Amino acid sequence: MNSVFSNKTAIAIFVLPTFLIFCAIVLVPIFVSSYYSLLDWNGIGKGVYVGFHNYAEMFTDSRALHSIRNSLLFAAASIFIQLPISLVLALILASNVKGEGFYRTVYFIPVLISTVVIAQLWSKIYNADYGLLNSLLESVGLSNLVQDWLGQKKTALIASFIPTLWQYIGYHMLLMYAGAKSISADIFEAAKIDGASRVRTAFLITIPLMRPILKVCLVFSVIGAFKVFDLIYVLTGGGPFFTTEVPSTLMYTSIFDAFRYGYGSAISVFIIVECLFFTLIINKFFKTE
C-alpha cells in the first residue's frame, strides 16, 4: 500500500473518475450558470449579453432583497435555535441515559422522511379549517389565537421555518452525539474525580473537544438555510405576497415562470457565492493554531 500511495500515477488514476464526476455535476453547471447570468435570455432564443445588469437588478429589486433577508433570518434561526437544541439532545443521549438507542432512532426519523412529505404534513397541521394546531388552541381555550398560519404575512415566515428546523434537529444531533461519544471516557472519569458537575463537564470538556464536529454542523446548517427550496415551495410557494420568498424559490420562479434564465442564473450564482463566503467565515472563526 505504501508503494501505491507514493505512486503519483496510481493516485491520479484512482482520483480521476471521481474528479470527472465532480466536474460534470458541480463545476460545469457553476460555470454555465455564471455565463447565463451575463445574458438576457428566455431559455429558447438567442441570449443578449448584458454584462452585470442582472446582478445590479437583483441588488436593487425589493423582492430579491426581501428573499435574501429571509434566508439570513433562516440561517440565524438554524444557528441559534436548531443547533442548540441538537446539542442539548446529543449531550443528554451521550450521557448513557436509559433507552439511548431508542431515542436516537426516534429523533432521527424525520430526517429520513421526504421533505415534500414533511411539508404536506405541516400544511395539514397549519390548516385554518381543520388543522391540528388550531384544534389544539381551541381545546385549551385559546380560540383568540386561531388563525391561518400560512396565509397571513405576520405568521407565514415563522410557520414555514419551523418544519425545516424540526426536521433536521435529529441530523445535527446524531453528528454531535457521535462526536461526544468519541471522547475518551478517561477524561470524564478524571473530571468526575475532580468533582466537576455534569454541566461544568459539558461546558469545559465535552463541548470544547467537540469543536471540529460543531464546525461541520454549523457549516451544514448555514448552507442548508441559504439553499432551502422544496419545503418553502410546497408549503407557501413563496407567498403570501412574497413574504416567505427565499433566493432559491425566486430563482425557480424567475427561470420557469417568468422565463428569465439570465436573471435566475444570477440568483443561483449569488447563492453559491453566499454559501462559500459564510463557509470561509465559519472556518476562519473555528481556526486554531
Side-chain angles (χ1 to χ4, degrees):
M1 289 300 295
N2 291 331
S3 61
V4 172
F5 285 122
S6 62
N7 189 332
K8 295 182 179 180
T9 303
I11 294 175
I13 292 175
F14 281 109
V15 171
L16 184 60
T18 303
F19 178 73
L20 292 177
I21 296 174
F22 177 78
C23 289
I25 66 176
V26 178
L27 295 183
V28 172
I30 290 177
F31 285 113
V32 172
S33 295
S34 300
Y35 169 71
Y36 287 158
S37 68
L38 304 176
L39 304 177
D40 180 11
W41 185 43
N42 62 4
I44 300 176
K46 185 178 180 181
V48 178
Y49 179 79
V50 293
F52 293 97
H53 174 76
N54 290 321
Y55 293 96
E57 180 181 351
M58 180 177 62
F59 287 110
T60 55
D61 180 24
S62 60
R63 181 179 173 184
L65 292 175
H66 185 73
S67 70
I68 295 172
R69 170 184 167 273
N70 287 344
S71 68
L72 293 174
L73 289 175
F74 188 27
S78 299
I79 294 172
F80 297 108
I81 298 177
Q82 184 184 64
L83 293 185
I85 294 175
S86 299
L87 179 59
V88 170
L89 292 176
L91 293 177
I92 292 174
L93 291 182
S95 62
N96 299 319
V97 297
K98 186 177 181 180
E100 177 181 333
F102 170 77
Y103 290 115
R104 186 176 64 236
T105 303
V106 169
Y107 287 132
F108 192 72
I109 286 177
V111 183
L112 304 177
I113 303 175
S114 168
T115 306
V116 176
V117 174
I118 295 291
Q120 290 292 339
L121 171 66
W122 280 86
S123 66
K124 300 300 184 294
I125 293 175
Y126 288 136
N127 189 278
D129 299 321
Y130 55 82
L132 178 63
L133 180 56
N134 283 342
S135 299
L136 180 62
L137 291 174
E138 289 178 347
S139 64
V140 296
L142 297 175
S143 302
N144 58 309
L145 297 179
V146 171
Q147 56 190 296
D148 185 2
W149 298 94
L150 295 175
Q152 297 189 53
K153 296 176 67 174
K154 63 180 181 180
T155 58
L157 185 63
I158 297 176
S160 60
F161 283 171
I162 290 176
T164 302
L165 296 177
W166 168 78
Q167 182 182 13
Y168 288 100
I169 282 176
Y171 177 78
H172 297 291
M173 180 215 69
L174 194 62
L175 292 177
M176 295 177 186
Y177 168 83
K181 295 294 280 189
S182 66
I183 301 173
S184 174
D186 296 338
I187 300 177
F188 297 112
E189 288 295 333
K192 187 175 181 180
I193 293 173
D194 289 338
S197 63
R198 285 192 175 185
V199 175
R200 192 173 180 83
T201 301
F203 279 99
L204 297 182
I205 297 177
T206 310
I207 295 177
L209 291 178
M210 289 172 59
R211 189 180 178 92
I213 198 66
L214 291 177
K215 182 184 76 170
V216 172
C217 290
L218 187 58
V219 171
F220 284 176
S221 182
V222 170
I223 291 178
F226 288 149
K227 65 184 186 67
V228 62
F229 168 75
D230 41 5
L231 193 141
I232 299 293
Y233 186 78
V234 175
L235 270 180
T236 64
F241 305 106
F242 314 118
T243 302
T244 60
E245 190 88 85
V246 290
S248 57
T249 58
L250 180 59
M251 175 195 69
Y252 181 87
T253 55
S254 297
I255 293 176
F256 297 106
D257 291 345
F259 298 103
R260 299 190 61 192
Y261 277 74
Y263 185 62
S265 298
I267 298 174
S268 69
V269 172
F270 169 78
I271 295 174
I272 295 171
V273 173
E274 184 181 35
C275 292
L276 179 61
F277 174 74
F278 279 93
T279 300
L280 292 176
I281 289 179
I282 294 171
N283 287 329
K284 184 72 174 178
F285 178 79
F286 277 88
K287 186 178 181 180
T288 57
E289 295 297 334

